[in-house]
Structure formats: C-alpha cells, structure tokens
Amino acid sequence: MVRIKKKDQSFLLLLVLCLFFVMCESHNLNYTKYKQVSNMRLERIQRHLDRINKPPLFTIQSPDGDIIDCVHKRKQPAFDHPLLKNHKIQKEPPEIPKLKTSVKTDAMMSRDVVSNNSNRAVVDWQLWHQNGTRCPAGTVPIRRSEVHDVLRAKSLYDFGKKKRHGLPIARRVDAPDVVSGNGHEHAIAYTGGSEEIYGAKATINVWEPSIEVVNEFSLSQIWVLSGSFDGSDLNSIEAGWQVSPELYGDSRPRLFTYWTSDSYQATGCYNLLCSGFVQTNSRIAIGAAISPVSSVEGSQYDVTILIWKDPKVGNWWMVFGDNTLVGYWPAELFTHLAERATMVEWGGEIVNSRANGEHTSTQMGSGHFGDDGFRKASYFRNLEIVDSDNSLSSAQDISILAENTNCYNIKNAYSSEWGTHFYYGGPGRNPQCN
C-alpha cells in the first residue's frame, strides 16, 4: 500500500477540484468561474509556483486568508534574475532624502487624518500583523501565490503583469500614458520631460473602491519614469495601493510595487511575482492588505511612499511610512533608470473593459470626483521630488490630466500644510459618463 503524504493529498485534491471548476470569492465581489483545466496546464502552473514560492522558515496565516511566508532574505525571488546572479544585498542603508524646506503638519492632523508616520507603527497598517506574529530577523515576508491566483489570470504568462490594451490613446506628447492603451484611464499630476529627477514622494489616502468586473482594477500610485514613451524601452518604477480582484482574489486595498524596463512587454511584474525587487524589511509584506481605510465624511487614513536613487550605490530604494526601508530595485535591472528619471507621475488609474458595452462603474479612489474635496475625494498631498543632491523639494509647475473628466477628474492646489497636492477620482459610469 502506497502512503501519500498529507501535503501531497492536499495538492491532489486541489488538482482534482481544479479540473472541474475555479471558484473565486471576493470581499465585495462574488463570482464563480467554471472552466475546464487540463492536467498539463496545472503542472505548468505548479512548476511556476514552485519557482516563485520559496521555502519558508516560518509561515503566518493572515486573518484575510493570505499566507505570508517568512523566507530567508538570500533565498528570495530577486536572485533568480539572470542579471542578479552575483548581486550582493546592499548592507549599508542609504541616506534617506530630507526636505529642503519644512512643511507644517499640525494643521493636517487637526483635519482628522491618521497618517502612517504619526503615532501608529507602520506595521499596524497590514492585516497579517493582527495576530501579533512577526517574521524573524534575517527573513522577508512574501505573500504566497496559489493555483487559484494564477487561474484568475488570462494566462500563466499574464499572471502578475500589467497588460497593454488595444491602440494607443491620443495624448499630449508631454503627458504619456504609461500603459499606452485603450481601457486604461487616469487622473494624474505629472512633472518632468527634460529634468534630471532622482526620486519622488507623496502621501496618499487609502480607500476601498468598488470594482465592477473581475479583470478590472483601481489603483493609486507614483510612477518614476525614463525612456521612450512611444517605443519599447520605457523604464518605470511604481508603488502605491491597488484593488485588483483578479490579482488578489478580493477587493481589499493592498500595498503594491511594479517595475518594467521595456514598456511592460516582457520584463517586470507586480510585487515579488517575478525576480527583480530586493526586499530588505522583515515587517512589510508587499501585496498585503492595508487596514483601516478612509471613509466618506469619516476618518482619513493615508500612507507615505518615497522612491529614490541611492547616489552612492545606484539602487532605487522604496520607503513606506516615515523612514521604513522596504527594499530596492537594483540598478542592473534598468537601462535609462540606471542613470536617472526624467518624469514623475502621481495619481489614479483604472481599467475600463466595457464588459456590458458601456463604461465601467469601477471607482477611482473614493468614487467621488476631485471637486468634492476633503473627506469625500481621494488625495495625494506633499508631492515632492528628489534632486541630484539627494534632497527633497516640493514639486513645482505640475500639470494635470484626465482622459474623461465626466468619469474621473483631478483638481490640484497648494497650501502651507499640504504643499503641492490634489484631489482626484470619480464613480465611472454615470449619466454623463457612459
């Protein structure tokens, strides 16, 4: 009699179930897809998962259903990249850029904002910390990917990647669409075009926008860009929060990163779903849910993100919160960004798939237009740029753009408390947007 190990039994059961159906349940969006899945496809998926899910030293079960694997920092997916085979983790922490001129924050806090660089610890902003368990020192927390995560994607190749959609949208030359395709709509502020930029920062309030169909998403992020916007060599580093039922299987807002060095064609991915990003922090899980979230006419919860190029070593680092180093994108990954950035964009993006032949009702930000202002609309505040001296300064002379202001819009302003800032978002489909 052949004995089958318990973990093998679980896998075989999953295999059998997947042959007949894929069931996906979301926080706000319930859906079930029935489709035939071949053994050959499941085997390919499992081989891929075996490559990206590294053996953990410790595992944590999150209240929202996520499994967080604590992986030895030298065993993380980054080092599978052919350009990083001999890469040594940057041991000396970079010097975090400091603001040249101070910006007041006392008025901000009186406006019922809870920021992740106030009294709350940054680690409290992720759901997987709620049971008090942490990853041990020397490990990095990685959200485990499973078979059903891949099956929600169009294909194994598409899993964890941004997708181009159709023909390019007509836009001004100085305001490129970073995805360059129909179906993606934005409300963004941007600066640059010929400047030498070495990073960007902003504080973004977090919402839980409604998503109409599974393959749409809503995100709010910073783009750090260089290269040709109408060619195949665009370099982009991105970070923010997103709601993506297809990628995560629910409708919770999650901290995410992305990178590409070839205009989203073959390189790069979300989070740690491919090799590239080197994580150094044992407390922040990229791809994990952020909680709590802002509410209309209620408390506003925001997160601060900084991306910048370490002038000594050349790697692009990410900070979450006031000064929590998350990790970095090695300079070896890039062509144009190996030197500097030439443009920064801040703002929201959604996918409009027109599933029912009309504009999606997927919300951007809070689902309110930027005109509705504080405690209703989403915001980016304290927009800042990193210069060649590794110093932060308030972003000046920003431009704003939204493809369809009847669906989503943006309103920018300046104040002593919030520096350069803007409100943005919208409900999508409405009598003026169809």
Side-chain angles (χ1 to χ4, degrees):
M1 182 176 176
V2 179
R3 292 181 178 274
I4 300 176
K5 294 180 181 179
K6 186 175 181 180
K7 67 175 184 178
D8 293 332
Q9 288 177 329
S10 299
F11 175 68
L12 286 172
L13 177 60
L14 180 60
L15 212 61
V16 172
L17 290 173
C18 286
L19 286 172
F20 295 99
F21 65 87
V22 181
M23 178 174 287
C24 306
E25 292 184 359
S26 168
H27 185 53
N28 284 331
L29 187 68
N30 294 319
Y31 59 93
T32 303
K33 286 184 177 179
Y34 292 90
K35 60 181 178 181
Q36 204 75 14
V37 184
S38 70
N39 277 311
M40 186 176 295
R41 185 183 179 197
L42 284 170
E43 289 170 1
R44 285 199 302 268
I45 290 172
Q46 192 58 50
R47 284 197 299 270
H48 181 73
L49 293 175
D50 289 342
R51 285 194 295 270
I52 64 174
N53 290 328
K54 302 302 181 182
L57 299 179
F58 188 71
T59 294
I60 299 169
Q61 181 73 53
S62 175
D64 62 352
D66 283 358
I67 298 174
I68 305 296
D69 289 327
C70 303
V71 175
H72 193 284
K73 62 184 180 181
R74 298 189 184 280
K75 302 294 185 182
Q76 61 181 295
F79 304 115
D80 291 338
H81 198 288
L83 296 176
L84 303 179
K85 289 296 183 183
N86 299 315
H87 182 86
K88 294 182 179 180
I89 297 175
Q90 184 176 340
K91 292 183 178 179
E92 183 180 348
E95 182 180 344
I96 298 175
K98 293 181 174 58
L99 193 61
K100 285 182 177 178
T101 56
S102 60
V103 176
K104 297 178 183 178
T105 57
D106 52 345
M108 175 197 75
M109 298 310 295
S110 69
R111 291 214 284 178
D112 195 21
V113 174
V114 180
S115 181
N116 68 356
N117 52 10
S118 62
N119 294 328
R120 293 188 56 191
V122 171
V123 293
D124 290 340
W125 283 76
Q126 295 200 303
L127 282 173
W128 67 279
H129 294 118
Q130 288 187 356
N131 62 6
T133 309
R134 301 288 186 269
C135 280
T139 68
V140 293
I142 301 178
R143 181 181 183 270
R144 185 186 299 178
S145 297
E146 301 185 89
V147 172
H148 56 263
D149 294 320
V150 181
L151 289 173
R152 284 194 302 270
K154 182 180 179 181
S155 68
L156 180 57
Y157 179 81
D158 291 319
F159 175 59
K161 296 182 178 180
K162 279 191 176 181
K163 295 182 277 292
R164 285 174 170 263
H165 291 257
L167 299 172
I169 298 171
R171 300 183 71 169
R172 297 200 304 270
V173 174
D174 65 341
D177 176 353
V178 295
V179 177
S180 298
N182 289 329
H184 288 250
E185 296 185 21
H186 306 79
I188 60 171
Y190 61 95
T191 187
S194 60
E195 298 180 52
E196 292 189 359
I197 298 170
Y198 293 86
K201 183 178 182 180
T203 298
I204 318 164
N205 66 338
V206 183
W207 297 84
E208 192 174 84
S210 172
I211 311 297
E212 182 175 337
V213 294
V214 171
N215 64 345
E216 296 180 346
F217 65 65
S218 181
L219 60 76
S220 298
Q221 69 170 57
I222 300 172
W223 290 261
V224 177
L225 303 155
S226 189
S228 173
F229 295 100
D230 58 358
S232 60
D233 65 342
L234 178 68
N235 289 198
S236 182
I237 291 174
E238 307 166 24
W241 63 262
Q242 70 178 160
V243 174
S244 175
E246 181 181 283
L247 187 58
Y248 304 106
D250 62 25
S251 292
R252 294 181 175 89
R254 293 170 176 272
L255 175 69
F256 82 94
T257 61
Y258 200 94
W259 71 273
T260 181
S261 61
D262 63 355
S263 298
Y264 306 91
Q265 294 181 104
T267 62
C269 62
Y270 282 112
N271 308 330
L272 304 181
L273 296 177
C274 67
S275 55
F277 184 85
V278 177
Q279 181 150 346
T280 59
N281 192 289
S282 63
R283 298 176 297 163
I284 303 298
I286 301 172
I290 301 173
S291 178
V293 299
S294 303
S295 58
V296 174
E297 299 291 6
S299 295
Q300 304 300 294
Y301 296 93
D302 59 26
V303 295
T304 298
I305 290 174
L306 165 64
I307 300 167
W308 90 103
K309 191 174 192 290
D310 178 8
K312 291 183 179 179
V313 182
N315 298 321
W316 287 88
W317 279 83
M318 174 183 167
V319 157
F320 181 65
D322 193 22
N323 56 5
T324 301
L325 293 164
V326 178
Y328 61 89
W329 293 267
E332 298 96 306
L333 297 175
F334 302 104
T335 52
H336 300 285
L337 281 175
E339 297 297 325
R340 65 185 69 85
T342 55
M343 178 174 282
V344 172
E345 298 182 356
W346 302 263
E349 177 183 355
I350 63 94
V351 171
N352 171 28
S353 63
R354 300 188 67 88
N356 299 311
E358 54 188 358
H359 194 285
T360 183
S361 62
T362 287
Q363 298 173 336
M364 181 186 293
S366 66
H368 280 255
F369 286 110
D371 315 65
D372 292 341
F374 186 66
R375 293 180 68 185
K376 288 185 179 179
S378 307
Y379 62 75
F380 276 64
R381 61 178 175 86
N382 302 111
L383 273 57
E384 294 160 4
I385 295 291
V386 181
D387 62 21
S388 58
D389 294 328
N390 201 39
S391 298
L392 282 162
S393 58
S394 182
Q396 302 295 325
D397 301 320
I398 65 167
S399 302
I400 58 173
L401 181 141
E403 286 97 345
N404 191 341
T405 55
N406 289 326
C407 307
Y408 314 100
N409 72 0
I410 179 170
K411 300 291 182 182
N412 64 313
Y414 183 88
S415 72
S416 59
E417 295 85 11
W418 282 20
T420 301
H421 64 279
F422 61 84
Y423 293 98
Y424 70 103
R429 185 171 64 246
N430 66 75
Q432 285 71 48
C433 168
N434 51 48

